[in-house]
Every structure is written in structure tokens, then in C-alpha cells.
Amino acid sequence: MPTSPSPYRQGLSRQAANHAALTPLSLIAWAADVFPDHPAVVHGDLRLSWRQFRDRCRRLASALAAREIGDGDTVAALLPNTPPMLEAHYGVAMAGAVLNSVNTRLDAAMVAFILEHSQTKVLIVDREYAPLAVAALAGLRDKGLAPPLVIDACDPVYLADCLAAGSEPNAAAAELDYDAFVASGDAAFEPVPPQDEFDAIGLNYTSGTTGNPKGVVVHHRGAYLNAVGNVLSWGLPRHPVYLWTLPLFHCNGWCFPWTMAAVAGTNVCLRRVEPPLIFDLIRRHRVSHYCGAPIVHSMLIAAPDEQKAGIDHPVACMVAGAAPPASMIEGMARIGFEITHVYGLTEVYGPASVAVKRPSWAGETLSEQTRLNGRQG
């Protein structure tokens, strides 16, 4: 055994020329530089290219930095699967802060606990969840705590839905408008890289079913590796079209906001998980991939045949959790969707193990295919 130190550990210290911390921020930089005009985000009538999307993320970061939000600060988001939520997954980190994606299905007391426990400095709220936010903020004030800076995100799709339903949109939870806030920032803002790849990029909370929610910290390295791992494990091609059926508040959307930058894909936003809307978006935008809980796939299988008509291209879907029943695998195959089963850890990083399919499985019986495809977890 050699007794002297390795020569490769002498005079080769880490520096900017030979080492960079792993971070998803490098992924959006690559996508916007290499494919600046490729569509990054689609939502209603909105279309953002990767250059435009990066510019908005930088503006968000700049506006946060102007409010002295940075290293060690928490920015919470009470948002559905809309462009502001995607922008928050980059813009908050670009400012050096940490994103806390709040579960929109929690009650006001739980949300108030999360805001207090995370020491949230800024809260971005979609107008649909304004009543929930107002009640949670009141809970903070009742305890003598100063509320965070609140930013109102008013989604045109939400307003259109309210108009179509004949209902009034919720009043804003704050006077500060999200789009105006972003517009106040500088698109040339230089993102703040993590000092260490172990620095936090996200903070997620469990549902708190057995007590107060528990916080889980996600670091830049883990987010980067899981995002790239999604590409490898699912065999994602360049420029997939991804539909956001999976809540972005759940494990940061299984890291897929960052995965889409790694392959310069297109994010198709979705406010509501409803089969007619999902099938319409799949047809209209030729969606190639989506993720979801078993209930989402079951809803699509049970939908009337007329809603499924007209989809003539391959669609890959991912399901997590308990082993998918035979009826789900058979139902997905009947629609023409290829299902992949994965398993992960709640609110951590998303998929941790994947049922890698073998060509030989095609010759097995349905029951055997179900057994093989459901072994994860």
C-alpha cells in the first residue's frame, strides 16, 4: 500500500476553473442558451420560449433581491400548476433563497404553522387560494407574529374559469401584483450560485396527518441529480411535451420542473385535474409525457370514449406509490398510453426506484405483467 499522499490531491485545489457545484440553475442556463426560441411554457393563450422563461425567472430573482431576500430566506408559494409556480422553482433559487411549495389542500391552521415554522419572508398566492392565505395570515397575527410580504398572482385562466362558471373571482390576498413584481426586476440579473451544492434549494412539508407537518430540506445537488435521473430512468428524449397533472407542490413535482430544462422540453400547465381538459391538452399540444397518482390514471381510464378520441400519438405516463392494479395497466394499454411504475419518498425528491421494463415482458400474461410492473416499493 502506498504511504505517501496521492499526487492527484496535491496542488489541484478546487477553483472556478475546475469545479462547479451541481445545481438545477445550470440546466435552465443551458436550455435558454442552446434552445432560446423553443417553447418552454404553455398556459392558456400564454407562450414562453426558454429565453423568455429564463428572463422572467431572473426578473423574479432580481425583484426578490431588491427586497433583501437572499441566502437563508424562505419564499413560500401557494400556487397551482401555473407559470408563476414554475418560475418560482428557478427564480427563488437564483436569488439564493429557498422555495417552500405549500400544499394547497391543507387547511389554514396547517398553512399558518408552515409559514411560521419555515420563517417565510415572502408568500406568493394564487387568487384562487386567497381565502386560505388570508385565514392563515390571520392565524399568524393572532399569535403576534409579523406576516410575510404577500404577492398576489392573478391567473387569466382562473378569471376565465370564474367567468364561465358565473362566479366572482376571489379578492386578492395582497395589493402587490405578481406580474408587476416580476416586471420590476432586471432580466440581466446574475443568478446567485450556491456556495456549496449541499445548500438548500427547497423546503417541503408533509401533510401533518399525525401531528404538525414535518419539513424536508432539498439541496441543490439532490435536485440536480434527481432531475437528470428522471431523464435517464424514463428515457426522455430531447424536447418532450410534459403535461402538469402532478401537483408541483408535491416533492417539487418529482423534480420535473428542473428535468424539463435538462431536455429543453415544453411545460403544459394545468390548473385542474379533469379528464376532458387533460385529453384536450394532450390532443392540442401533442403531450408526450405526464405523471400522476393512481387516482389520476383511474379517472382517465373511466372517462367516456368520446373524450379519448383523436389521440393518435404515443403518450408515456408515470404512476407512483402502491402497485398499480391490473385494471389500470390494462386500461392504460387500451387507451394507448405506456405506463411506468415508480416509487419514492414523500416530500423528498420523487422517484427513487423505477420498474425498468424488459422486452420479454410483452409476451407475459396480464397478471404477470402486473406483478412485474408493480414491484417498486
Side-chain angles (χ1 to χ4, degrees):
M1 295 291 290
T3 57
S4 59
S6 168
Y8 295 102
R9 296 196 183 97
Q10 300 176 45
L12 294 173
S13 59
R14 292 184 185 183
Q15 52 186 296
N18 62 23
H19 177 79
L22 295 180
T23 171
L25 299 184
S26 65
L27 301 177
I28 189 174
W30 173 83
D33 284 346
V34 180
F35 298 102
D37 299 320
H38 191 80
V41 178
V42 174
H43 184 51
D45 296 329
L46 176 69
R47 301 290 186 277
L48 293 174
S49 68
W50 275 104
R51 180 196 291 113
Q52 292 169 326
F53 179 61
R54 179 180 61 181
D55 285 352
R56 286 187 59 86
C57 294
R58 284 179 170 178
R59 287 183 182 275
L60 173 58
S62 172
L64 290 170
R67 296 274 181 160
E68 298 185 344
I69 301 299
D71 185 34
D73 293 327
T74 303
V75 176
L78 197 58
L79 299 165
N81 290 357
T82 51
M85 185 61 136
L86 290 169
E87 291 165 3
H89 273 77
Y90 287 98
V92 172
M94 286 178 175
V98 178
L99 176 65
N100 173 16
S101 302
V102 181
N103 187 335
T104 59
R105 299 166 187 164
L106 299 179
D107 60 27
M110 289 289 190
V111 174
F113 171 83
I114 289 172
L115 297 179
E116 177 186 356
H117 188 264
S118 64
Q119 300 178 34
T120 291
K121 297 288 185 64
V122 178
L123 173 63
I124 306 172
V125 183
D126 183 88
R127 188 71 65 87
E128 181 178 353
Y129 306 118
L132 174 60
V134 169
L137 294 169
L140 294 180
R141 292 189 183 94
D142 289 344
K143 298 177 69 173
L145 300 173
L149 172 68
V150 182
I151 302 173
D152 173 62
C154 190
D155 178 17
V157 173
Y158 168 68
L159 296 181
D161 288 347
C162 290
L163 183 64
S167 59
E168 289 291 325
N170 291 329
E175 295 182 2
L176 192 57
D177 175 73
Y178 176 80
D179 285 325
F181 184 74
V182 170
S184 72
D186 183 3
F189 178 82
E190 194 64 34
V192 179
Q195 296 181 27
D196 188 294
E197 60 187 24
F198 195 66
D199 287 348
I201 190 173
L203 172 64
N204 300 314
Y205 281 83
T206 61
S207 60
T209 52
T210 57
N212 286 328
K214 309 299 189 295
V216 178
V217 176
V218 177
H219 52 63
H220 282 256
R221 175 184 172 86
Y224 177 95
L225 290 176
N226 199 270
V228 174
N230 286 336
V231 179
L232 297 175
S233 63
W234 210 3
L236 283 173
R238 181 75 44 84
H239 305 318
V241 181
Y242 183 86
L243 179 63
W244 274 105
T245 48
L246 176 73
L248 273 155
F249 65 69
H250 182 48
C251 304
N252 298 109
W254 299 355
C255 291
F256 274 94
W258 304 308
T259 295
M260 285 301 102
V263 288
T266 301
N267 296 276
V268 179
C269 295
L270 180 71
R271 285 194 69 95
R272 304 179 314 281
V273 178
E274 297 176 354
L277 182 57
I278 290 173
F279 285 120
D280 178 62
L281 291 173
I282 290 175
R283 270 190 302 269
R284 194 188 325 164
H285 301 294
R286 296 191 69 80
V287 167
S288 60
H289 294 78
Y290 75 88
C291 298
I295 184 62
V296 174
H297 300 282
S298 297
M299 289 169 59
L300 297 181
I301 292 170
D305 289 340
E306 56 267 25
Q307 293 181 11
K308 308 169 188 174
I311 298 175
D312 58 1
H313 64 279
V315 179
C317 47
M318 190 176 278
V319 64
S327 59
M328 180 181 296
I329 294 177
E330 184 177 8
M332 286 285 103
R334 194 178 300 118
I335 298 174
F337 292 6
E338 182 183 2
I339 194 166
T340 297
H341 183 225
V342 300
Y343 193 82
L345 297 171
T346 302
E347 308 312 339
V348 182
Y349 287 106
S353 60
V354 182
V356 180
K357 296 181 180 179
R358 310 292 199 276
S360 59
W361 291 10
E364 300 290 349
T365 63
L366 178 61
S367 61
E368 180 61 8
Q369 288 183 35
T370 301
R371 186 190 72 80
L372 293 169
N373 202 22
R375 290 179 297 173
Q376 303 312 304

